Amino acid sequence: MEKDKQVILEIDPQEVRGVVTAVKGAIAALFYGVCSVTSAIVSKALMDTLEFDFPVFIMVAQMIFTITTLEILCFFKILDLPPYSLKRGLSFAAPAIFYGTNSVLALTALSHMNIAMYGVLKRCVPLSTMLLSLVILKTGLPNRVTMYSVILLTVGCIIAGYGDLGFNLTAYICGIGSNFTQALYLLLVQKFSEHHVSVAETLQLNSFNTLPLLLLTAVLNGEITSISQYKHFGEFNFLAMFFFSISVGMMLNYSLFLCTSLTSALTTSVVGGLKALVQTIIGLFTFGGISHNWATYIGITMNLTGGIAYIWARYSENKARPRTSLKHVMSFSASNNVGAGQKNGFTHSGSTQGDNSSQNYKNSISTDIHKS
């Protein structure tokens, strides 16, 4: 009597997509880190070395440059974006408001603070993100190692700030406010990206929505009238640095939205903490460095240690999460008396893996083997 046996090759598309997304997320995180460090250094050089202390105007120019670039790319069919509308703009209103507020606060803090201490202060963003995610994303508390590392880097930030002899109250208030507004717009962008909106579209909506807010701020704070008194307008060094600054700023926004959409708001803030570490080291030797005293050194050491511990804690937590083993993605099973409807075709079946993870739906490629 001839028996039919079936060999089933099971391929889990979710697992394959997960690996691809993880690789893309790592590349996006690295891209964001590089753009963030570069943007901070270039902006500091523009506002400090060239004495162009007009942070809101810089953001206005950056938004205009971004909108112009996107429209040109759409005109030449390189990008396919729907035209901006009030309805689409309102759907992204909240993230844009917090983004614009953060940009103004961050640049104001950077203009009155050395780049090393600015990097230390901005490393408190993960704390703000974790606290606000409890309300916005309804996430639970992290593990103990994560909590302790966040406390360590935050205390280190306070100690380093106390040891900063160039302490400026306005800079620190703006820096702290920037931490919370950055956490808010990262979390809101993460929620917005769940609606499968492209990164380019997010950048488009953010630029259009933010421009009126920034332009109004520049008028109210007097930058629009004061900028006419700047003495280096016609110099090549200023024009080159200004164009470079707004170009890097546009790439920073794109990389930020890309990293947040592919990973999460918390991962983006962790990358921000890692780039701040590099930024602090660079700041030790540029733009005046830091105040040389024990409080500053101890605070920065605690801050860096906490930042590294935080990154390691998040990595360990993600690694420990139960997931489908790659060895289970491709499996073979045999069955007797297979129904005619399943032969030589594709079947859709559910299975439970050995670690009792949730049921995964898999595409099964069935091949019948006939034996005598």
Side-chain angles (χ1 to χ4, degrees):
M1 181 178 178
E2 184 180 55
K3 294 183 178 180
D4 291 337
K5 290 190 175 181
Q6 185 183 49
V7 178
I8 301 176
L9 178 62
E10 296 180 335
I11 302 175
D12 189 349
Q14 296 291 339
E15 190 73 18
V16 174
R17 283 195 294 268
V19 173
V20 174
T21 301
V23 174
K24 289 182 178 179
I27 296 175
L30 178 62
F31 179 43
Y32 167 62
V34 172
C35 290
S36 186
V37 173
T38 305
S39 177
I41 295 175
V42 173
S43 297
K44 184 64 176 177
L46 180 63
M47 292 186 293
D48 192 3
T49 305
L50 296 178
E51 300 178 348
F52 191 74
D53 191 15
F54 303 100
V56 182
F57 180 81
I58 294 174
M59 292 302 304
V60 169
Q62 181 181 310
M63 293 302 109
I64 295 175
F65 179 75
T66 302
I67 293 172
T68 304
T69 302
L70 291 175
E71 292 299 322
I72 292 175
L73 293 176
C74 290
F75 178 79
F76 287 102
K77 309 299 182 182
I78 299 175
L79 282 180
D80 184 16
L81 294 175
Y84 178 83
S85 65
L86 183 59
K87 181 179 179 180
R88 292 178 60 240
L90 289 176
S91 68
F92 198 77
I97 290 173
F98 286 115
Y99 170 85
T101 305
N102 168 73
S103 300
V104 174
L105 292 175
L107 285 175
T108 302
L110 184 60
S111 65
H112 298 288
M113 182 186 296
N114 61 66
I115 197 169
M117 289 309 305
Y118 175 79
V120 171
L121 187 63
K122 291 296 288 181
R123 204 170 297 118
C124 293
V125 173
L127 175 62
S128 305
T129 305
M130 283 195 299
L131 293 177
L132 293 173
S133 65
L134 297 174
V135 178
I136 297 177
L137 300 181
K138 309 298 182 183
T139 59
L141 290 173
N143 58 47
R144 289 184 179 180
V145 178
T146 302
M147 293 288 291
Y148 292 154
S149 62
V150 170
I151 293 174
L152 180 62
L153 66 87
T154 305
V155 173
C157 174
I158 296 173
I159 294 176
Y162 176 78
D164 184 13
L165 298 181
F167 180 84
N168 184 293
L169 181 60
T170 301
Y172 274 80
I173 291 176
C174 291
I176 294 172
S178 173
N179 285 344
F180 283 98
T181 52
Q182 181 177 346
L184 279 170
Y185 85 73
L186 285 176
L187 291 168
L188 291 172
V189 166
Q190 180 180 338
K191 290 192 67 176
F192 188 80
S193 64
E194 294 173 356
H195 298 290
H196 307 291
V197 179
S198 68
V199 178
E201 189 174 351
T202 303
L203 184 63
Q204 177 199 43
L205 294 175
N206 181 73
S207 301
F208 272 101
N209 283 0
T210 309
L211 180 58
L213 174 64
L214 294 173
L215 192 58
L216 177 62
T217 305
V219 173
L220 293 178
N221 70 1
E223 284 193 15
I224 295 296
T225 55
S226 301
I227 200 172
S228 60
Q229 302 175 3
Y230 184 67
K231 56 185 178 181
H232 301 294
F233 256 127
E235 297 181 6
F236 174 79
N237 289 341
F238 165 75
L239 295 176
M241 184 65 71
F242 182 78
F243 179 76
F244 187 40
S245 176
I246 61 176
S247 300
V248 173
M250 181 186 69
M251 296 306 299
L252 172 61
N253 289 336
Y254 176 80
S255 64
L256 184 147
F257 295 142
L258 180 65
C259 183
T260 305
S261 63
L262 289 177
T263 57
S264 67
L266 188 56
T267 300
T268 304
S269 65
V270 170
V271 175
L274 183 60
K275 66 90 181 177
L277 186 151
V278 178
Q279 189 172 292
T280 300
I281 296 175
I282 295 175
L284 293 174
F285 308 100
T286 59
F287 304 112
I290 61 173
S291 303
H292 297 278
N293 56 71
W294 282 108
T296 300
Y297 290 138
I298 293 173
I300 288 181
T301 301
M302 292 176 62
N303 197 268
L304 297 184
T305 304
I308 295 172
Y310 178 82
I311 295 170
W312 174 254
R314 296 300 303 174
Y315 169 78
S316 301
E317 183 180 352
N318 291 332
K319 189 176 181 181
R321 288 176 181 171
R323 62 183 65 194
T324 303
S325 173
L326 288 177
K327 293 186 292 185
H328 294 157
V329 171
M330 301 180 66
S331 61
F332 294 89
S333 60
S335 61
N336 293 329
N337 302 322
V338 180
Q342 292 179 320
K343 291 183 179 181
N344 301 322
F346 293 92
T347 63
H348 194 68
S349 62
S351 62
T352 304
Q353 298 300 336
D355 59 355
N356 294 323
S357 60
S358 60
Q359 191 178 45
N360 294 320
Y361 290 100
K362 301 179 179 183
N363 295 321
S364 302
I365 304 175
S366 304
T367 305
D368 293 328
I369 300 177
H370 301 279
K371 284 192 175 181
S372 300

